[in-house]
Amino acid sequence: GFNNFVPDLLDFKIIKNNKKFDLFTGDLIKIDMNSFSNIDDSDFKNYISFYGNNVSVLDAPYGNYFGTGTLDENLNLTFKDVYGKMGHSSVQGKYSQEWSPYNYNFILNGQCNPTDINNWMGEWWSEIWTNFDFNVDNVPYGDFIISGAWGDESNHSTMGEINASNFKYKELGLTNSNIDINVDPKQTSLSFNLLEHSKGRIKGHVKIPRKAYHSELLNYKMIGDFPLNDGKKIFGNVVESFLDDFNLTSLIVETHGDVDIWSNNNNFPTTTDDDFHIFTHTDQNGSWNGIGFSNFNGIIKKEANSLTVDYPVIKSCSGNISLLIDSNLSNKFSNIDLKFSNLKANELFDSIISYQSKTKKVPLSDKNSTSISKNGIVDFNIKATCTNFDFTSLNGTGKIKVKDKELSKIRLLGILSNGLDELPIPLPSGTLKFNTLEGLFEIENGIVTFDRLVLSGLLSKVLSSGNINLESGELNIKSKIQLIGNVPIISKIVQIADPLAVFAEIKITGPWNDPKWEFLINPIK
């Protein structure tokens, strides 16, 4: 016989995942049962077919369904041919259902929009696809085996494959993909055999633990071309805020580890059981907070309560920068070693100005920057510590050396030169021209202090001591000018009377961009 049901006239409810759904809604469900069929299966005497017209199951999108199968003496169902078209999905396959226990088994393949069947699956299924945005005109192709027992959340498994193109994950556009899915009671595993995007390819895997098993660590591995600008949202808000400081099309990434997935703590990194290694490399031009680079490679490594950032090669300003940060996450104390080698002074100056415009933290002026020689070279090294990952409040020591024939025109050093030009002393031309700056310094809470910073040239040198407040730009410097006397005319002047000896010191105070000069007279002259 046949049975026709009008789902909209029924009121069957089901509670699933702590939510109430209508079991069926729609226009028509037709079920036919008989003892003869075209199915060649001598073990069965009862056959069943069904047809659904504009039907929704568990409030999923409406669709049309058709299937034929068998019914055994225990009323267990086996549908060997099932077809369905719902929402943006069109699939075919097999389905079986037992009643003691309530075991079920789906074998499905076809064009399947994963979110169409969210209500049919456990919560783990919808969590997988939360951040995906599939193209409804190019629906993914899926091939799945889904089995378990109704009412038993610990006894479900899914194995399958999805091929998708032209979709987005957290705003990252992916042109092509092949993803294996394996879900068991303990975890969901996604194997990314291929993820193609406009900048290259990525492959890897992610293993997501089920909450019921109280595991908090997501295991992952990834290798390939990571599109930094387009993919910065993938790793969450904290990492995104860090990547926002970069402007880079893509970089090569090889990373693996275990990271906390369920924690709501947004402070990164933390003293959890996280354990990861991230190796990165690029030979593309990019920038960090306005500071340009052309190449870098290094590793970020977290093990237990330690975090290491080791970038021995960063090509910038036509020279090399190296950075090593070794942090103890328990007390948030970090040791930092930063080195500049053979950086061009004019490019470094421009980078500092760019950094200032991005961060508003460095009180420099770009006045006279065009006067800096293209041949100027900067060497710099600082070893310091900080706490709470606040790298603007470093405490440590360093060394600087600058060589440039136009050194006198650089801001700050130009402050000295401009002031010295106003001295009421007849000195030979070029006496106060400098080409080298070098010395040691200390930095503490944003204040740089030095007691012997030497600015020297062929005919004279300036010995300076004092401090500079990097946050406010305030200067407090005392300088002493000396004639070197290695040129005959200068030697003669020095032998008779050093005209600069009348000035004990030159004091420079006030803001960086508008300093005040004071000539202190030597009382014994």
Side-chain angles (χ1 to χ4, degrees):
F2 65 89
N3 304 271
N4 291 341
F5 299 92
V6 179
D8 281 345
L9 300 181
L10 304 175
D11 189 20
F12 293 149
K13 304 290 185 182
I14 187 171
I15 295 176
K16 191 174 189 300
N17 302 332
N18 297 318
K19 297 179 182 178
K20 184 181 289 187
F21 299 99
D22 286 310
L23 183 59
F24 298 110
T25 56
D27 295 342
L28 174 66
I29 296 177
K30 182 179 180 181
I31 300 175
D32 292 349
M33 290 184 287
N34 54 64
S35 59
F36 61 90
S37 172
N38 293 327
I39 299 175
D40 184 14
D41 193 335
S42 58
D43 292 336
F44 292 92
K45 300 300 183 183
N46 303 294
Y47 304 94
I48 185 170
S49 63
F50 71 90
Y51 170 77
N53 179 40
N54 193 36
V55 173
S56 170
V57 181
L58 298 181
D59 293 334
Y62 283 85
N64 299 319
Y65 304 90
F66 174 74
T68 60
T70 60
L71 188 69
D72 69 13
E73 64 275 12
N74 296 315
L75 303 182
N76 296 320
L77 297 169
T78 301
F79 289 101
K80 294 187 176 182
D81 295 291
V82 176
Y83 301 89
K85 182 174 178 57
M86 56 173 283
H88 300 291
S89 302
S90 179
V91 299
Q92 61 183 4
K94 301 177 180 180
Y95 176 73
S96 63
Q97 176 67 63
E98 298 177 359
W99 303 107
S100 182
Y102 302 114
N103 292 330
Y104 67 88
N105 184 268
F106 284 99
I107 299 176
L108 299 173
N109 61 77
Q111 305 299 126
C112 178
N113 182 10
T115 57
D116 282 348
I117 58 174
N118 276 353
N119 295 347
W120 296 5
M121 315 302 287
E123 289 184 319
W124 52 269
W125 179 266
S126 59
E127 288 173 354
I128 293 175
W129 311 108
T130 298
N131 296 301
F132 285 83
D133 184 11
F134 291 104
N135 185 344
V136 296
D137 295 323
N138 199 347
V139 178
Y141 181 87
D143 194 343
F144 291 97
I145 299 176
I146 305 168
S147 61
W150 299 110
D152 183 358
E153 290 296 329
S154 65
N155 186 21
H156 294 280
S157 67
T158 299
M159 295 180 62
E161 177 184 25
I162 284 185
N163 293 285
S165 58
N166 300 320
F167 65 99
K168 291 183 178 181
Y169 177 71
K170 290 188 175 181
E171 300 186 10
L172 170 61
L174 295 166
T175 57
N176 197 14
S177 69
N178 175 259
I179 306 172
D180 287 336
I181 299 174
N182 192 328
V183 182
D184 61 33
K186 293 185 178 181
Q187 66 182 10
T188 297
S189 298
L190 304 177
S191 295
F192 303 102
N193 304 315
L194 172 67
L195 290 177
E196 285 187 344
H197 51 84
S198 61
K199 308 300 186 300
R201 294 183 174 189
I202 303 172
K203 63 180 181 178
H205 73 252
V206 175
K207 296 181 179 179
I208 308 169
R210 299 284 290 273
K211 290 182 180 180
Y213 284 81
H214 307 292
S215 176
E216 296 181 348
L217 295 179
L218 175 151
N219 175 267
Y220 77 96
K221 181 178 181 179
M222 183 178 73
I223 183 171
D225 306 296
F226 182 70
L228 195 66
N229 288 341
D230 297 339
K232 61 182 62 177
K233 293 183 179 294
I234 286 179
F235 299 108
N237 294 335
V238 175
V239 177
E240 180 187 356
S241 65
F242 172 73
L243 296 180
D244 274 340
D245 294 334
F246 283 87
N247 181 20
L248 181 63
T249 302
S250 67
L251 72 163
I252 298 172
V253 175
E254 183 173 350
T255 176
H256 64 273
D258 299 281
V259 296
D260 192 342
I261 183 176
W262 305 121
S263 173
N264 293 320
N265 187 351
N266 286 329
N267 294 320
F268 174 86
T270 59
T271 55
T272 64
D273 293 329
D274 289 2
D275 182 349
F276 57 81
H277 294 69
I278 306 173
F279 171 79
T280 58
H281 167 73
T282 184
D283 54 8
Q284 297 185 10
N285 292 328
S287 65
W288 174 79
N289 273 324
I291 300 176
F293 54 79
S294 59
N295 174 286
F296 68 74
N297 68 72
I299 188 170
I300 302 173
K301 179 172 62 177
K302 181 182 180 298
E303 295 177 341
N305 291 332
S306 69
L307 176 73
T308 302
V309 179
D310 188 4
Y311 278 79
V313 179
I314 304 172
K315 297 293 184 182
S316 179
C317 302
S318 301
N320 186 62
I321 299 174
S322 66
L323 173 65
L324 175 63
I325 302 175
D326 190 3
S327 299
N328 183 314
L329 302 179
S330 296
N331 55 23
K332 297 186 178 180
F333 185 84
S334 301
N335 292 297
I336 300 163
D337 190 348
L338 175 65
K339 295 179 181 178
F340 295 171
S341 301
N342 296 315
L343 270 61
K344 284 194 173 181
N346 62 325
E347 295 181 20
L348 178 60
F349 189 92
D350 292 341
S351 292
I352 294 174
I353 296 301
S354 297
Y355 179 86
Q356 172 181 283
S357 66
K358 288 278 292 185
T359 64
K360 310 300 181 185
K361 290 182 179 179
V362 182
L364 286 179
S365 168
D366 59 358
K367 293 180 180 178
N368 300 322
S369 62
T370 56
S371 300
I372 302 173
S373 168
K374 294 182 179 180
N375 298 318
I377 297 297
V378 177
D379 291 328
F380 176 87
N381 178 216
I382 182 172
K383 293 185 178 181
T385 62
C386 72
T387 55
N388 294 316
F389 306 104
D390 181 8
F391 300 116
T392 63
S393 299
L394 298 174
N395 296 318
T397 60
K399 181 180 181 180
I400 186 171
K401 184 175 183 179
V402 184
K403 298 188 70 174
D404 190 345
K405 65 181 181 180
E406 299 290 344
L407 199 56
S408 305
K409 296 181 180 180
I410 298 179
R411 194 67 181 171
L412 177 58
L413 307 179
I415 292 173
L416 286 171
S417 298
N418 295 339
L420 294 175
D421 287 340
E422 299 175 3
L423 286 172
I425 298 174
L427 292 173
S429 176
T431 301
L432 301 177
K433 299 298 182 182
F434 308 108
N435 55 35
T436 303
L437 170 73
E438 59 183 323
L440 305 176
F441 64 87
E442 295 182 357
I443 183 170
E444 184 174 3
N445 298 324
I447 298 177
V448 177
T449 303
F450 45 89
D451 57 11
R452 186 177 172 81
L453 191 64
V454 181
L455 179 64
S456 59
L458 293 175
L459 307 180
S460 62
K461 64 181 179 180
V462 178
L463 306 178
S464 298
S465 62
N467 60 68
I468 303 172
N469 189 318
L470 296 179
E471 188 69 25
S472 65
E474 289 292 314
L475 306 177
N476 184 11
I477 300 172
K478 291 182 180 180
S479 300
K480 178 69 176 179
I481 303 97
Q482 295 179 355
L483 298 180
I484 296 176
N486 57 349
V487 178
I489 187 170
I490 296 298
S491 300
K492 196 66 176 177
I493 293 175
V494 173
Q495 290 173 8
I496 298 172
D498 185 347
L500 296 175
V502 69
F503 297 104
E505 290 177 323
I506 301 171
K507 187 175 182 180
I508 308 172
T509 58
W512 178 285
N513 294 322
D514 187 23
K516 293 181 173 58
W517 274 71
E518 183 179 358
F519 294 93
L520 304 179
I521 305 298
N522 191 331
I524 64 173
K525 292 294 181 179

